[in-house]
Amino acid sequence: MRRLPVLPVLAAVVAGVLLLSGCSASSQSSSSGGGGVAQEGGPAPQQGDRSGAADGEASTDVQASDQKVVTTGWVTITTDDPIASSDTVVALVDELDGRIDNRSQQAGTEGQPASAQLTLRVPADRVDEALERLKDVGSIDSVSLTADDVTLQSRDLEAQITALRASIDRLLALVGSAATTADLIELETAISDRQTQLDSLTAQKQYLDDQVSYSTITLTLQTPAAVPEVVPGDFWSGLATGWASLTTAAAGFLVLLGVLLPWLVLAAIVVFVVLMLVRLSRRRRAAGAGSRGSAATEGAASPHPSGTFPVAPRVTAPGTSAAPATVQSAPTTPQAAPTTVADPRSASAPAREEERPRD
């Protein structure tokens, strides 16, 4: 058999052992390094979550602190003396570091009870305290509170104010570098316009901040409802009640008469005009009927075409002389004159006397 050399073989074995040991060491170091990274990366997200949660809570607190709320309310209180109670309310508002924006009072009369109205401006963080202390003034009948969130409106005004101020500052910086008079005038005009807008927005912001800082409460003070009167129990009380009711009814009648009087005058004028028109129409109708009647009369009394009325011949008795009958023609007038006819008997009367025998 052929023998191999010993030294090269031993060198090859040692090299293989060293190579294997190096590979195992590198694999162990890589595995240990990976574990270390995993351990270091594990807590990192937890710390990030904690810091993120802390930042979220801080931002929430900041938003809650920056929230703008306008509170308005209406309160009605019943008290025996509204005028005196209004003075008590003014002192109460002064103690709460507030102010009175409006105050009106009405003294009591026979037909209207006393009352008072006040507009209270109370610090927003002391509204509950003010309502609690108002219970000492009288009996609270009704309470109404309204809260309006104006945070976005306030932020919008702030952003506009900031932008206008920055624009005005830039324009003021350009005024010194204006080359011509026209450029200077244009810059001054732009600055004036922006300054006007800035003043308006600043006033709106101040009013909004005042509404947020001081809540508005409208307070009404009134007296208790009137107790109904007792029914009269004797003659004199009944007489007094009857007289009072009579005067009340008379006053009511006068008021009603005053309300209806203009309408009655207008109605009288209309009735008078209608009666005059009816009367005029009747007169016209009567005049028309009279003219038609006269025309009919004229037609009935119209004369004969020849101017005389025909008369029938009369028969006379024998031995008498008949006088001719004359007929007078009536003139053609609207009213026909009566026609007279001579009586033939009167003409023959002397002849008859002569024929009598003489004694």
Side-chain angles (χ1 to χ4, degrees):
M1 296 180 60
R2 188 178 179 180
R3 295 181 180 179
L4 295 174
V6 179
L7 293 176
V9 173
L10 292 175
V13 172
V14 172
V17 172
L18 293 176
L19 181 61
L20 292 174
S21 62
C23 291
S24 61
S26 63
S27 62
Q28 290 178 0
S29 63
S30 63
S31 61
S32 63
V37 171
Q39 292 176 359
E40 293 177 357
Q46 294 178 0
Q47 294 178 358
D49 293 340
R50 292 177 181 176
S51 61
D55 294 340
E57 292 176 357
S59 61
T60 304
D61 295 337
V62 171
Q63 291 178 359
S65 62
D66 293 341
Q67 188 177 9
K68 306 292 184 180
V69 178
V70 176
T71 303
T72 56
W74 294 266
V75 180
T76 303
I77 296 178
T78 300
T79 179
D80 295 333
D81 190 355
I83 307 301
S85 299
S86 62
D87 296 335
T88 305
V89 171
V90 171
L92 172 62
V93 172
D94 290 337
E95 293 177 2
L96 295 175
D97 297 332
R99 67 177 188 269
I100 303 294
D101 281 357
N102 186 19
R103 179 180 180 180
S104 61
Q105 299 175 355
Q106 293 83 28
T109 59
E110 294 181 358
Q112 183 179 4
S115 62
Q117 293 80 31
L118 298 92
T119 302
L120 314 182
R121 300 301 306 278
V122 182
D125 55 350
R126 307 188 71 175
V127 173
D128 296 335
E129 182 181 356
L131 294 177
E132 189 66 24
R133 296 187 61 177
L134 284 175
K135 293 180 180 179
D136 299 334
V137 177
S139 176
I140 297 180
D141 296 334
S142 62
V143 177
S144 176
L145 294 177
T146 304
D148 296 329
D149 190 354
V150 294
T151 305
L152 295 178
Q153 184 178 356
S154 178
R155 291 179 180 176
D156 185 24
L157 289 174
E158 290 178 356
Q160 294 182 22
I161 291 172
T162 302
L164 284 174
R165 285 175 178 172
S167 178
I168 291 173
D169 292 339
R170 288 193 299 269
L171 292 174
L172 290 174
L174 294 175
V175 169
S177 61
T180 61
T181 306
D183 295 340
L184 181 61
I185 293 173
E186 185 176 359
L187 288 172
E188 290 181 351
T189 302
I191 292 172
S192 177
D193 294 339
R194 284 165 173 76
Q195 187 63 42
T196 302
Q197 297 177 9
L198 178 61
D199 295 339
S200 176
L201 293 176
T202 303
Q204 296 179 23
K205 183 65 169 55
Q206 292 176 354
Y207 175 77
L208 188 62
D209 292 340
D210 180 72
Q211 294 294 317
V212 172
S213 300
Y214 291 88
S215 300
T216 304
I217 299 177
T218 302
L219 176 63
T220 301
L221 301 173
Q222 60 185 8
T223 57
V227 180
E229 297 181 357
V230 181
V231 178
D234 54 359
F235 173 77
W236 295 109
S237 60
L239 181 61
T241 303
W243 178 257
S245 62
L246 178 61
T247 55
T248 303
F253 175 75
L254 292 177
V255 173
L256 179 62
L257 181 61
V259 173
L260 295 179
L261 184 59
W263 296 95
L264 293 176
V265 173
L266 179 61
I269 294 173
V270 173
V271 171
F272 176 76
V273 173
V274 171
L275 291 177
M276 293 299 295
L277 292 176
V278 171
R279 187 174 181 180
L280 181 61
S281 177
R282 288 181 178 177
R283 287 183 178 179
R284 290 180 179 177
R285 290 179 182 178
S291 62
R292 288 194 297 270
S294 62
T297 305
E298 290 177 0
S302 61
H304 194 267
S306 61
T308 59
F309 292 97
V311 180
R314 294 180 178 273
V315 179
T316 59
T320 60
S321 59
T326 60
V327 180
Q328 296 179 358
S329 61
T332 58
T333 57
Q335 295 181 355
T339 305
T340 58
V341 180
D343 190 1
R345 297 178 182 179
S346 61
S348 60
R352 290 181 180 179
E353 291 179 358
E354 293 178 357
E355 291 179 356
R356 291 179 182 179
R358 297 180 178 178
D359 294 337

